[in-house]
């Protein structure tokens, strides 16, 4: 446990970390902040590259986070700080008393797909086409991890993966689930070239119900933008257009809800096929 104590919001380290609250700062530094004992613990336990932890000197660090830090194999700069400093680094109305600076994932899509796609038959990917709402993205990632999705690909034009609200909504799933930011058209073309099928979620008149589709083999499901839906480029690449029937008066489902229905249906169908 470090002995340094920071009390001033004008401290150079605090100023640098404060820049990570903005997308521009995160992209420039290749790092992001996580706030709260649970997310810091998850970052440590998952093996993410945690660089710095600041905790409230008046509240101390909770026991679970201390245990995770004690088992963490890398050196971490641990600093006690005043509540004013923690408030400066918080996006919430009630700062949670601990933040961690974490390096962005170095996972490479090309290496990952090369290792996984040819040797694994029952793969399930989720492709997100310009998802804008951070709460939606975080919930989708949390749901995808719970459903056993192999990876999520976030298309260009989407909300920043390392947005604070996204991070909080994932409840740590981001540290356990491979997530890549790529041009979806390129990913779709490569996926199909490797023998995978592409299912595109849309209310198009030619789409079929989600429960009538075969999700076996290698499947990628595309979820579209909250307002505009899936792009024309992804529609053109679809092997099958699929939709979730609406029985009430609502025009559509929330993107996160739709993604959850699709991925759990895919896993249900696979379980039934194997039983």
């Amino acid at each position: 446990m470090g002995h340094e104590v920071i009390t001033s919001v004008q401290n150079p380290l605090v100023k640098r970390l404060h820049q990570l609250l903005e997308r521009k700062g995160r992209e420039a530094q290749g790092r992001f902040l996580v706030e709260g004992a649970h997310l810091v613990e998850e970052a440590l336990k998952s093996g993410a590259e945690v660089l710095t932890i600041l905790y409230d000197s008046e509240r101390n660090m909770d026991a679970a986070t201390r245990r995770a830090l004690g088992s963490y194999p890398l050196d971490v700069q641990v600093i006690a700080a005043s509540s004013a400093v923690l408030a400066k680094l918080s996006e919430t109305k009630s700062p949670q008393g601990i933040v961690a600076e974490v390096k962005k994932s170095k996972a490479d899509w090309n290496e990952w797909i090369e290792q996984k796609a040819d040797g694994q038959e029952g793969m399930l990917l989720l492709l997100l086409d310009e998802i804008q709402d951070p709460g939606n993205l975080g919930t989708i990632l949390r749901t995808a991890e719970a459903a056993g999705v192999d990876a999520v690909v976030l298309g260009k034009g989407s909300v920043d993966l390392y947005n604070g609200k996204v991070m909080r909504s994932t409840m740590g799933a981001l540290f356990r689930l491979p997530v890549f930011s790529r041009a979806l058209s390129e990913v779709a073309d490569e996926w199909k070239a490797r023998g995978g099928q592409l299912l595109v979620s849309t209310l198009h008149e030619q789409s079929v119900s989600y429960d009538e589709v075969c999700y076996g083999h290698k499947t990628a499901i595309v979820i579209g933008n909250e307002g505009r839906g899936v792009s024309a480029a992804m529609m053109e690449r679809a092997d099958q257009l699929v939709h979730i029937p609406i029985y009430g008066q609502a025009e559509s489902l929330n993107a996160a809800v739709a993604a959850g229905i699709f991925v759990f249906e895919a896993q249900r169908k696979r379980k039934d096929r194997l039983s």
Side-chain angles (χ1 to χ4, degrees):
M1 193 70 70
H3 297 288
E4 182 180 357
V5 179
I6 294 178
T7 59
S8 173
V9 297
Q10 300 303 318
N11 180 281
L13 174 63
V14 176
K15 285 185 173 182
R16 181 179 66 77
L17 294 181
H18 181 71
Q19 295 174 359
L20 301 182
L21 296 178
E22 301 292 335
R23 185 170 190 162
K24 181 179 179 180
R26 293 190 289 268
E27 291 177 349
Q29 297 187 41
R31 304 171 182 190
F32 62 100
L33 288 181
V34 295
E35 181 183 3
H38 175 73
L39 285 179
V40 174
E41 179 188 355
E42 289 296 323
L44 292 166
K45 289 168 63 177
S46 70
E49 194 169 350
V50 179
L51 303 173
T52 310
I53 294 176
L54 274 72
Y55 68 96
D56 193 324
S57 59
E58 296 181 359
R59 296 164 61 176
N60 292 318
M61 191 182 298
D62 75 288
T65 306
R66 285 200 305 271
R67 287 194 296 271
L69 183 58
S71 301
Y72 190 68
L74 303 176
D75 291 332
V76 180
Q77 184 180 24
V78 180
I79 303 171
S82 67
S83 58
V85 166
L86 271 298
K88 179 75 172 179
L89 301 177
S90 174
E91 292 182 319
T92 61
K93 291 182 179 179
S94 301
Q96 299 182 49
I98 186 169
V99 298
E101 176 191 19
V102 185
K103 267 196 176 182
K104 289 185 177 181
S105 171
K106 296 178 181 177
D108 181 83
W109 162 259
N110 294 318
E111 292 180 2
W112 185 87
I113 196 66
E114 190 69 33
Q115 293 174 358
K116 297 286 186 178
D118 293 333
Q120 191 171 333
E121 285 298 313
M123 291 184 68
L124 180 61
L125 299 189
L126 197 55
L127 311 187
L128 305 180
D129 193 357
E130 293 192 32
I131 295 295
Q132 296 293 303
D133 184 85
N136 275 343
L137 177 56
T139 301
I140 289 171
L141 297 180
R142 183 181 179 184
T143 303
E145 197 266 341
V149 171
D150 292 285
V152 174
V153 182
L154 188 61
K156 292 183 178 180
S158 298
V159 64
D160 182 18
L161 177 62
Y162 299 100
N163 174 289
K165 188 173 181 180
V166 173
M167 295 300 304
R168 293 190 295 276
S169 299
T170 68
M171 294 297 289
L174 178 61
F175 299 122
R176 301 183 293 269
L177 175 70
V179 183
F180 305 94
S181 295
R182 303 282 296 179
L184 288 192
S185 57
E186 296 176 5
V187 170
D189 290 343
E190 180 176 10
W191 182 249
K192 289 165 66 71
R194 291 178 179 272
Q197 70 167 338
L198 194 70
L199 305 181
V200 172
S201 172
T202 176
L203 292 173
H204 192 279
E205 59 184 12
Q206 295 181 0
S207 69
V208 302
S209 178
Y210 77 105
D211 55 358
E212 298 176 5
V213 177
C214 174
Y215 294 90
H217 194 44
K218 298 173 184 174
T219 299
I221 302 168
V222 184
I223 302 295
N225 174 272
E226 293 91 340
R228 299 186 301 274
V230 177
S231 65
M234 297 305 289
M235 293 275 285
E236 293 170 358
R237 289 169 167 78
D239 293 302
Q240 181 69 64
L241 303 178
V242 293
H243 70 272
I244 300 168
I246 303 294
Y247 300 105
Q249 298 301 310
E251 293 183 358
S252 63
L253 289 174
N254 171 275
V257 172
I261 291 173
F262 275 115
V263 295
F264 275 97
E265 175 67 8
Q267 298 296 37
R268 185 188 70 81
K269 285 281 185 68
R270 292 177 175 199
K271 184 178 179 181
D272 289 346
R273 182 167 56 86
L274 296 173
S275 61

